[in-house]
Amino acid sequence: MAGFSHLNQAGEANMVDVSAKQITTRSAIAQGYLYANDAVIQGISEARIAKGDVFAVARVAGIQGAKRCADLIPLCHPLALSKVDISFALEPEQNRIAVQCFCKLDGKTGVEMEALTGVNIALLTLFDMCKALDPAMRIEQVCVLNKQGGKTGDWHRDAV
């Protein structure tokens, strides 16, 4: 099964052994969008969402999600994250909210999965808090924007 690092010789799922890897500073940023109607965008911008401060709650949820990635994704290594940051940008002209998750650590494996988990949990929390105003909201374009560190070095996505 050459080429698949998460399979053993018998083709079974296997957690990769990273014990021989060097500890390096690693970081990743993932991004996604919540598309919503004007009522949601305006309600958030005017702090009028009935369930409260949606960005504060989604920020904490996203941080928790990134920290719990290994509990959710099979074969992910549990990581001691040194930094998780969730940020939001209202983009009313496109009826969307941009959400980014930045994760960083000094470790032996990358943090892309943690960043992706963090951004998805933040997006899902926004959806949950606003669904009464727009049940047709949608989450789209979730991706890793960049990653730094490790054996493969730095990687940046071309324009999204």
Side-chain angles (χ1 to χ4, degrees), residues 22-26 105-109:
Q22 296 295 317
I23 293 175
T24 62
T25 300
R26 298 158 182 265
L105 60 65
D106 290 330
K108 296 183 176 196
T109 188

Side-chain angles (χ1 to χ4, degrees), residues 82-122:
S82 58
K83 178 67 177 169
V84 178
D85 183 55
I86 306 288
S87 61
F88 306 94
L90 282 171
E91 298 179 355
E93 66 285 350
Q94 297 176 6
N95 279 84
R96 69 184 188 185
I97 303 161
V99 180
Q100 286 191 357
C101 178
F102 169 79
C103 292
K104 183 178 180 183
L105 60 65
D106 290 330
K108 296 183 176 196
T109 188
V111 292
E112 297 91 340
M113 294 307 299
E114 287 71 16
L116 285 165
T117 302
V119 79
N120 273 292
I121 296 300

Side-chain angles (χ1 to χ4, degrees), residues 111-134:
V111 292
E112 297 91 340
M113 294 307 299
E114 287 71 16
L116 285 165
T117 302
V119 79
N120 273 292
I121 296 300
L123 286 161
L124 288 167
T125 301
L126 290 175
F127 189 105
D128 180 54
M129 294 186 76
C130 299
K131 65 183 182 260
L133 291 173
D134 183 4

Side-chain angles (χ1 to χ4, degrees), residues 40-62 86-90 97 121-122 124-130 133:
V40 170
I41 301 299
Q42 190 170 9
I44 290 173
S45 69
E46 296 173 0
R48 291 186 297 103
I49 301 298
K51 289 188 176 184
D53 185 342
V54 296
F55 287 162
V57 175
R59 180 174 289 110
V60 172
I86 306 288
S87 61
F88 306 94
L90 282 171
I97 303 161
I121 296 300
L124 288 167
T125 301
L126 290 175
F127 189 105
D128 180 54
M129 294 186 76
C130 299
L133 291 173

Side-chain angles (χ1 to χ4, degrees), residues 5-6 15-26 75 77 79 105-112 147 149-153:
S5 62
H6 286 73
M15 188 174 189
V16 173
D17 182 359
V18 297
S19 59
K21 286 182 150 186
Q22 296 295 317
I23 293 175
T24 62
T25 300
R26 298 158 182 265
L75 309 179
H77 294 85
L79 302 179
L105 60 65
D106 290 330
K108 296 183 176 196
T109 188
V111 292
E112 297 91 340
K147 71 103 184 165
K151 182 175 69 174
T152 58

